[in-house]
Amino acid sequence: MIRNITLAVIVFAAALAYAQAVVGLAPSVDYLWLGAKWSQVPKFPGDVGVVTLSFYVSSQYVDVTISLDPKCGYVAPLEDVRLPSAGPGVVTANLKVLAYALNVTCPANAIFNARYKAVGGSLTDGVTKAEYVLLYVPPYPTYDVSARGTAYLGMPSRVTLVFKSPYSTASTATVQGQGVRVLSPSGQFSVNGTYAEVPLVVIADSPSASLVVSVQSRDWLGNPVLLTYTVPIAAAPAPPSVVYVSPTALSLNKYNKVNVTVQLPVEADGTAVITAAGAVMPQSSITIPISRGRGYAVLEVYPVSSVVTFTAQVTYQVAGVSRTEQISASAATQQTIGGLAKVEVRPPRLMAGVANNVTLSVSAPGAFNVSVAVANAAVDKPQPYYFGGVDKATAGLLVTPLSSQPVTFTVTVYHSAGTDQYTITLPVTSASIFTVIPTPSLVKSGGNRTVVVTVINSGDVAVQKAVVTISPATSNVVASTYTFQLGRVAPLESVLLPISFIVPATYSGAVAFTYNIIYTTELGTTGSSQGTFYLQALQSPAVNVTSVTVVPQFPEARRTFYISVTVVNKGFAPVTNLQVEASPPRGIRPVTAPIYFAGQLDPQQTANIPLSFNATAPGQYQIPLVISYTDQYGNFYTIPYTVTVTVSNGTRLFGPTRQGTPIQGGTGQLGLGGTPVVAGVAIAVAAAVVAVLYMRRRAKRA
């Protein structure tokens, strides 16, 4: 009876197939692989993406499993897709895939496995198809943004914005300033490739200046991506422009050739209009060009007073912003020696507010006496001062100018041939000639910090030697008083002085240091310069991992276990974007997403972050964890951690079973063991019971 039933079924199936072929009901394609594509791309190594696998089947299949079997170590599927039935038509499956690396290609097998095929009202054997896939893991836009250069306070300055990316990405960016004005670029600009430098023109308004850089890009699927970075920049006062004249001593009653040099603090182009007070020139003013921050001219002047002052009206542009300064320099005039005696006074100029060492050299025939009277200055000798000698004599005076007005020396020489009298006028220049700039101007709170202090000679005379003292002016930092000895420092030359100090972890704000510079110029004058410079201390978080617990301690294969990560913020500033990311190896599958986002963690607070996994086979596994977070300034931090998990062999419902193995590409064999096997056995038993009942009912009817 059973054989007759089987024969009838076979004949019926053959007749149905023949009828479909005759009337054209059978499709031309029974199965077609449509490909794999990303529907959600991973954003960073260790992130989870979604791959969509598509198939076309002409029939309905029952108990369908769609999986991905990678043949590389770059990706790992987190799950298989189980469908009660699929088809006829297009079948799609979205699989979560863990990407260990980006911008790589991984060969893989896409496996379509169906236990049964529905034919009419009955089920036949299913099908297993394995398709070869080259799965490309696309890159995701990310950048490391920094600034190079110094922005001068109140002056347009050029700063270079540097973009670095591990992947070649095409993006657009905009820049906004915090404590700084961005003059150009004023809108969006392109950032292409793995490295790009973008020149900016900015004006710093605060010593604590930063740039907010917004980068707009698209991921591999064309979805918009917005990235924001906060980039601190160094800000410092702008050094002044200076004008030099040579020689500094001019002769009366004749034309003198004078070399005039104008030096700007930046490499800019402009013009300088030069006039001379106390002298006659062929023209009332002379205009000279300034190229790359420097202008030069040779003037012919005829002194008509004791001091000739050269004034330069400087106009220049920096990135389209005009700036005008008025600077001056003076030259002394000396009476042409007409008598037998010769008089020389050194140096040719004096420094205001300090004691100047002045040397008078007098030569005359035979024995002579000299009388010296000084006006508009305090002298360490009684007035008038007398000295003498034979043929030649020298005297030293300590002269302190009483104001910025020139100092006049009246020298009368009494010798055997008569009396000669000379009037010599020396100009007085300012004593404040130093500019002090700290680098970097931003330091992290907590720990020992080192800063290089740049001392620039902004004056027009060289410093022969100097002693620099730097002391802390903020009580919240721990610092010593530093003393440095300097040698010769030419005009516009700089000296680098390193200092170290300790900033408490709880402090955030300005750090002030005072400096005192006692110096001697090459003219023999001594002076001092005092001032204050500031640094900005920024608090950085201190997140530590206190414990990592595995529950149960020795998990069983094919059973869920948990990893609990406890972190504490030991710093004094909150952190944001706190998350733990796991990169499970083969044999360990996450039950939930392997990335847990905890958000903000306040100071002196702890957070417990749970992760759940399932081990497919016993063994000892190393599970890498990465704890990441950002501080209040947008800086990104990571803490790597590795958890060792020992998985034991567990007991099964039907006794011990051999360990499950992953599906091998092209074989079409499903692994044994685990819940899928139990479900398969139950289905088989149920099918057998239904078949027996069906056969008995047919036998009774017969």
Side-chain angles (χ1 to χ4, degrees), residues 403-695:
S403 65
S404 60
Q405 297 300 316
V407 176
T408 302
F409 294 80
T410 302
V411 181
T412 304
V413 182
Y414 306 93
H415 53 86
S416 59
T419 302
D420 297 330
Q421 187 177 63
Y422 306 98
T423 301
I424 302 170
T425 303
L426 301 182
V428 177
T429 60
S430 173
S432 179
I433 64 173
F434 289 101
T435 300
V436 178
I437 302 174
T439 304
S441 59
L442 301 175
V443 296
K444 290 185 177 181
S445 301
N448 192 10
R449 302 291 175 246
T450 299
V451 171
V452 176
V453 180
T454 303
V455 179
I456 305 173
N457 181 3
S458 304
D460 54 0
V461 295
V463 174
Q464 196 66 29
K465 59 182 179 179
V467 176
V468 181
T469 303
I470 301 177
S471 303
T474 302
S475 60
N476 293 322
V477 300
V478 179
S480 303
T481 298
Y482 287 86
T483 302
F484 302 91
Q485 292 186 353
L486 309 182
R488 188 179 187 276
V489 184
L492 297 184
E493 187 179 357
S494 61
V495 179
L496 304 181
L497 307 177
I499 63 172
S500 297
F501 51 91
I502 298 176
V503 183
T506 57
Y507 181 73
S508 177
V511 178
F513 286 85
T514 60
Y515 64 88
N516 183 40
I517 306 175
I518 301 175
Y519 60 92
T520 302
T521 68
E522 64 177 0
L523 305 179
T525 60
T526 60
S528 63
S529 179
Q530 299 84 25
T532 304
F533 63 85
Y534 295 89
L535 305 170
Q536 189 71 23
L538 305 179
Q539 281 188 344
S540 58
V543 175
N544 295 333
V545 178
T546 59
S547 65
V548 176
T549 306
V550 179
V551 180
Q553 184 177 2
F554 298 103
E556 297 180 354
R558 295 166 296 278
R559 295 297 183 93
T560 301
F561 66 92
Y562 303 89
I563 295 178
S564 177
V565 182
T566 303
V567 295
V568 60
N569 183 0
K570 292 186 177 181
F572 299 91
V575 301
T576 56
N577 299 325
L578 174 65
Q579 69 177 24
V580 175
E581 174 188 349
S583 302
R586 288 185 177 275
I588 299 294
R589 291 189 175 185
V591 176
T592 58
I595 299 178
Y596 187 95
F597 184 78
Q600 179 170 318
L601 183 59
D602 292 328
Q604 312 303 316
Q605 298 296 319
T606 59
N608 295 319
I609 300 175
L611 299 171
S612 57
F613 303 90
N614 188 296
T616 60
Q620 189 174 72
Y621 298 91
Q622 304 287 333
I623 303 179
L625 304 178
V626 176
I627 298 92
S628 61
Y629 57 93
T630 56
D631 62 12
Q632 55 187 330
Y633 309 107
N635 298 314
F636 184 73
Y637 302 83
T638 59
I639 303 175
Y641 199 95
T642 301
V643 182
T644 301
V645 179
T646 302
V647 179
S648 61
N649 192 4
T651 57
R652 306 311 311 273
L653 180 63
F654 296 96
T657 61
R658 64 185 180 92
Q659 297 300 314
T661 57
I663 299 175
Q664 301 299 322
T667 63
Q669 298 298 322
L670 288 176
L672 298 178
T675 303
V677 172
V678 177
V681 173
I683 293 174
V685 172
V689 172
V690 171
V692 171
L693 293 176
Y694 176 80
M695 298 301 293

Side-chain angles (χ1 to χ4, degrees), residues 248-249 332-334 337 342-350 357-362 372-374 387 394-395 397 399 407-411 422-427 523:
T248 56
T333 59
Q334 295 185 354
I337 305 300
K342 295 182 179 181
V343 177
E344 182 183 6
V345 179
R346 302 292 298 175
R349 71 183 71 186
L350 304 177
N357 292 315
V358 178
T359 301
L360 289 86
S361 298
V362 180
V372 181
V374 182
F387 68 96
T394 301
L397 300 176
V399 180
V407 176
T408 302
F409 294 80
T410 302
V411 181
Y422 306 98
T423 301
I424 302 170
T425 303
L426 301 182
L523 305 179

Side-chain angles (χ1 to χ4, degrees), residues 310-385:
F310 296 88
T311 302
Q313 188 80 16
V314 180
T315 302
Y316 59 95
Q317 288 188 344
V318 180
V321 178
S322 299
R323 186 178 177 89
T324 301
E325 293 184 50
Q326 182 170 307
I327 51 180
S328 61
S330 300
T333 59
Q334 295 185 354
Q335 189 176 19
T336 304
I337 305 300
L340 296 178
K342 295 182 179 181
V343 177
E344 182 183 6
V345 179
R346 302 292 298 175
R349 71 183 71 186
L350 304 177
M351 303 297 295
V354 298
N356 298 262
N357 292 315
V358 178
T359 301
L360 289 86
S361 298
V362 180
S363 61
F368 62 88
N369 291 318
V370 180
S371 172
V372 181
V374 182
N376 197 33
V379 185
D380 64 337
K381 304 290 193 302
Q383 297 283 310
Y385 172 66

